[in-house]
Every structure is written in structure tokens, then in C-alpha cells.
Amino acid sequence: MGTTFVILERRSRIMSRQQIIAMGGGGFSMEPENLLLDQYILSLVNKEKPKVCFVPTASGDAEDYIARFYASYQTLPSTPSHLSLFKPPHVDLRTLVLEQDIIYVGGGSTKNLLALWKEWELDKILKEAWKSSIILAGLSAGSICWFEQGVTDSLPGELIVLPCLGLLQGSNCPHYDGELERRPAYHRLLSAGKISDGYAADDGVALHFIENRLEQIVSSRPYAKAYRLQRMEDGIQETPLETVDLGAGLAKNQKAT
């Protein structure tokens, strides 16, 4: 009886963890032929078909984006749905969000995303979901939004600092290798003291946080990395972080069979 209680208590602690998966890029919207990051997110839920709700606010709820989400996730062991703020659901937002296992936020304009979420009070609901151990995930704008600050191209022709939700400490910069100006802009903003220390992620890389601690970094692309960036007295320190190549593990398993 005592042993059973300990096992159940440990399982309860694991399932009650607050988790965020912040992707620099990749996933179904950038790599429809390579769903390793999406599979990784689904693997974190101990269910045969986790409920995954796609939130495409940053793209203006682009219909093509929503269609691509369903096209990919209907091939995966999941129960997909989406949340539109332009065509709101009949049920209240809180009920819809809190019945999910995973909330997956798409890319686009982070500035517009945050403004609409605040207007609908979705920002508060998502924070409640996070505290309730619903996994929060996303790429680009859907990565930046969880941090205190992000490097965003929400204004045309300029990379700026944007205050975000602050569930995760520090700052974030996605598309670190995918967009030419990302790295120099992040360095420049850090040097000027306009943004706090934080993390950058290449396309295809996901930062997996558990309760504000960076637990693991995974990648769907060989050689893609994540970096810790810190402002030091003698300049910016950019430290490559250990990254698990999900594709290498898959190839090894296939070779073994």
C-alpha cells in the first residue's frame, strides 16, 4: 500500500509540472515533411490521442495556416482543434482552453497577438492553463510570447524589443539562423541594455522549459542549435547549448530494426 502511494504521488508530481515548448522555427508550419518537433510535444502527454488546440492569432487566423495544422495533426496520434478570435467558438474561451492537453501557438505578429489576447483576456486564461499543467507550445511569435521580452519583426523593416507575458524569465529570439538580421539585432539590443539576457533558437530547435527551468533542447535538424546570450562587461557572451538531434535518434532506431 505504501509503495503504491509513493508511485502515484511521484506520477502526480510529474503530471503537475508546468511546461512550455518554445520553438525557434520548424514544426508543421515550416517542415510539413518533418514532424519530429510535433511528435516530441505530443510525447509529453500520457494519452493515446492528446487534445491539441492550435491558436493562429498572430497570423490573423489565416485559413491556410489552420488547414495546414489539421493536415499534419490528423496524421499524428492527436485530437486536433483550433481557437479563432475572429470567429469565436460558441463555448466560452476558458472552458475550451482548460479542456486541452496542449495549446500550440502559431507564428506571425507577436504585437497583434498580445493585443488581441489582452482584449479577450486570453492571456489570463493561458496563464491559468499553464498553472494547471496544460502544455504551452509554439514557434516564432508562439515562442516569444511566453518570455518577459522578445526580439520581434512585428514592425515592418525593424527588429525591436517587445514586452511579453513573462511566464518564462528573460528574453527570446527565434529564427536565429533562418533570418540574416536576427543574430546581429539580438547582440545589438543586448549591448545597448534594451533587452535582458535570454535564449536564441535556430529554426528546427525547441527549448523545453519545466517550471521556468530549461530542461532540454531538441532539434529536428542536424547541426541546429540553441544559445544562451548574456551581457558581460567585455561584450556579449553567446554560449552554444547541448541539443538533442531527434532525427539522429530516429535513424539509430530504424537501423537497429
Side-chain angles (χ1 to χ4, degrees):
M1 186 70 174
T3 303
T4 302
F5 177 78
V6 170
I7 292 172
L8 290 175
E9 185 181 37
R10 180 175 181 273
R11 182 180 299 171
S12 176
R13 287 201 304 270
I14 291 171
M15 295 301 292
S16 67
R17 294 182 301 181
Q18 298 167 354
Q19 301 185 73
I20 294 178
I21 316 300
M23 296 180 280
F28 78 90
S29 63
M30 292 182 67
E31 300 179 293
E33 305 298 325
N34 179 8
L35 299 178
L36 288 173
L37 292 182
D38 304 272
Q39 292 168 346
Y40 177 79
I41 295 169
L42 291 172
S43 74
L44 301 175
V45 181
N46 188 27
K47 289 184 179 180
E48 286 187 9
K49 301 184 76 172
K51 295 180 180 179
V52 186
C53 184
F54 180 50
V55 184
T57 315
S59 68
D61 288 354
E63 292 185 6
D64 175 66
Y65 202 3
I66 296 169
R68 285 186 286 137
F69 164 72
Y70 282 108
S72 291
Y73 270 76
Q74 285 171 350
T75 70
L76 297 172
S78 68
T79 304
S81 63
H82 75 280
L83 168 57
S84 172
L85 294 181
F86 293 87
K87 297 178 181 179
H90 295 297
V91 298
D92 69 275
L93 296 184
R94 183 175 179 275
T95 298
L96 188 151
V97 169
L98 294 183
E99 69 179 12
Q100 305 300 320
D101 298 305
I102 300 165
I103 300 294
Y104 191 129
V105 180
S109 171
T110 315
K111 189 176 182 68
N112 289 347
L113 173 151
L114 292 170
L116 280 169
W117 282 5
K118 185 176 182 180
E119 182 66 26
W120 286 83
E121 297 190 347
L122 184 56
D123 55 340
K124 296 178 181 178
I125 297 171
L126 289 171
K127 186 173 184 179
E128 183 181 355
W130 177 62
K131 289 183 175 180
S132 301
S133 302
I134 294 170
I135 294 173
L136 305 180
L139 78 159
S140 194
S143 172
I144 292 170
C145 65
W146 313 120
F147 290 81
E148 291 175 325
Q149 298 171 302
V151 179
T152 177
D153 58 358
S154 293
L155 295 182
E158 185 180 6
L159 287 166
I160 62 168
V161 180
L162 189 69
C164 299
L165 297 182
L167 301 185
L168 296 175
Q169 296 172 356
S171 63
N172 178 235
C173 181
H175 305 303
Y176 207 52
D177 67 338
E179 297 178 6
L180 196 60
E181 292 302 315
R182 289 283 176 170
R183 180 178 253 116
Y186 200 10
H187 279 244
R188 184 171 62 250
L189 293 167
L190 277 166
S191 296
K194 293 182 178 180
I195 196 169
S196 58
D197 296 348
Y199 298 93
D202 291 343
D203 288 339
V205 171
L207 306 164
H208 182 183
F209 289 88
I210 298 179
E211 297 175 354
N212 229 304
R213 183 186 72 254
L214 183 56
E215 181 76 9
Q216 183 171 238
I217 303 166
V218 297
S219 172
S220 61
R221 304 180 182 184
Y223 313 114
K225 292 286 184 183
Y227 305 86
R228 173 69 173 161
L229 279 88
Q230 297 169 287
R231 184 186 179 197
M232 314 295 282
E233 289 185 3
D234 57 348
I236 302 303
Q237 179 174 304
E238 180 180 290
T239 307
L241 302 175
E242 182 180 355
T243 304
V244 176
D245 180 0
L246 296 173
L250 180 64
K252 185 177 180 180
N253 290 336
Q254 290 176 340
K255 187 176 181 180
T257 57

